[in-house]
Amino acid sequence: MCPEILTAPLSTTIRPAVTFLLREANVAGENLPGVLRRRPRLLTKSVEKNLRPTLYFLQSTIGIEDVSKCASLLSCSVETKFIPRLDYLLRIGFSFREAKVMFRRFPSLFCYSVEENLEPKFDYFVVEMGRELKELIVFPQYFSFSLENRIKPRHKMCVEKGVCFSLPVMLKSHEPRFRERLEVCCSSSMPVRQSPFWFDHNVT
């Protein structure tokens, strides 16, 4: 995954990176091996030029308090990875505050390609599904689901049945559970507020 580790200086690169992850990013010692297996490139990054500026951006600009939960992002470039995705959300109608909320709720959003993931899924969300942006603020994980294998098929089934589920209800359930909910909803009255099918549009 990262052959550069074999030639990275131990004393000036690898050891400082490990120390940074443990002391500044607050990655627990028992979790460090898992973090490095997922993102070994962390060991090749400069603390001063890469890791620390990225940590500062995630904490101060985005407002992620516990960066250790998304430590793999620390190897990414703020300029070439984070800013373009943030700019895209602002361009399609989200406020800066709303975009930050989305990234705090789902930091992996920073990893998705704008052209191959965010754009086609957003276009389908707005044009075909006709839904409101506030739903994506509440559930940015929408972008983690396959457009062809999950989003489109389930949306079409809901349209055929005349049902409008919240995004989590529509996308998170396994196929049998989703179909069961669809049938139950079609054979019953409109859901009440206490129902798991009810979607509260208020964003806090």
Side-chain angles (χ1 to χ4, degrees):
M1 291 176 65
C2 185
E4 300 94 312
I5 293 177
L6 292 172
T7 57
L10 183 62
S11 60
T12 59
T13 301
I14 294 180
R15 282 178 180 163
V18 170
T19 300
F20 168 85
L21 291 171
L22 294 172
R23 296 182 180 177
E24 296 187 47
N26 295 318
V27 175
E30 62 269 22
N31 296 333
L32 183 62
V35 169
L36 295 178
R37 280 195 298 270
R38 181 179 180 184
R39 195 69 173 179
R41 194 169 300 278
L42 286 164
L43 294 176
T44 67
K45 296 296 183 179
S46 163
V47 171
E48 290 75 19
K49 295 180 181 179
N50 306 113
L51 300 179
R52 191 170 289 127
T54 303
L55 175 68
Y56 180 80
F57 177 85
L58 292 173
Q59 288 179 329
S60 301
T61 303
I62 303 301
I64 299 176
E65 296 181 359
D66 187 1
V67 177
S68 68
K69 293 180 179 179
C70 54
S72 60
L73 290 177
L74 292 170
S75 66
C76 299
S77 166
V78 172
E79 291 76 17
T80 62
K81 192 82 170 182
F82 295 166
I83 298 300
R85 285 146 185 80
L86 180 58
D87 286 344
Y88 173 73
L89 293 186
L90 299 179
R91 192 165 66 249
I92 60 178
F94 294 101
S95 68
F96 185 57
R97 170 189 168 276
E98 291 168 339
K100 291 195 298 180
V101 168
M102 293 172 70
F103 284 117
R104 284 199 297 269
R105 289 178 172 170
F106 189 52
S108 294
L109 197 60
F110 276 124
C111 300
Y112 294 128
S113 166
V114 172
E115 294 78 15
E116 298 178 6
N117 187 306
L118 302 183
E119 277 188 344
K121 291 178 182 177
F122 179 76
D123 289 345
Y124 187 82
F125 178 85
V126 173
V127 177
E128 299 297 330
M129 298 174 69
R131 304 182 75 137
E132 299 181 8
L133 296 186
K134 62 180 68 176
E135 292 192 64
L136 293 177
I137 301 172
V138 173
F139 191 67
Q141 292 89 340
Y142 163 83
F143 292 101
S144 68
F145 294 94
S146 168
L147 180 59
E148 298 299 329
N149 298 327
R150 180 66 67 94
I151 298 174
K152 285 185 178 180
R154 294 200 174 180
H155 168 65
K156 289 178 181 178
M157 282 190 279
C158 288
V159 171
E160 291 172 358
K161 297 288 186 178
V163 172
C164 184
F165 283 148
S166 69
L167 293 179
V169 171
M170 184 176 76
L171 299 174
K172 290 177 66 175
S173 304
H174 293 299
E175 192 66 21
R177 178 58 174 159
F178 169 75
R179 290 180 178 274
E180 177 186 346
R181 283 180 164 179
L182 195 60
E183 292 303 322
V184 168
C185 192
C186 288
S187 61
S188 63
S189 59
M190 289 295 292
V192 295
R193 286 182 178 273
Q194 290 75 21
S195 167
F197 302 115
W198 179 268
F199 175 68
D200 186 355
H201 289 277
N202 293 322
V203 179
T204 57

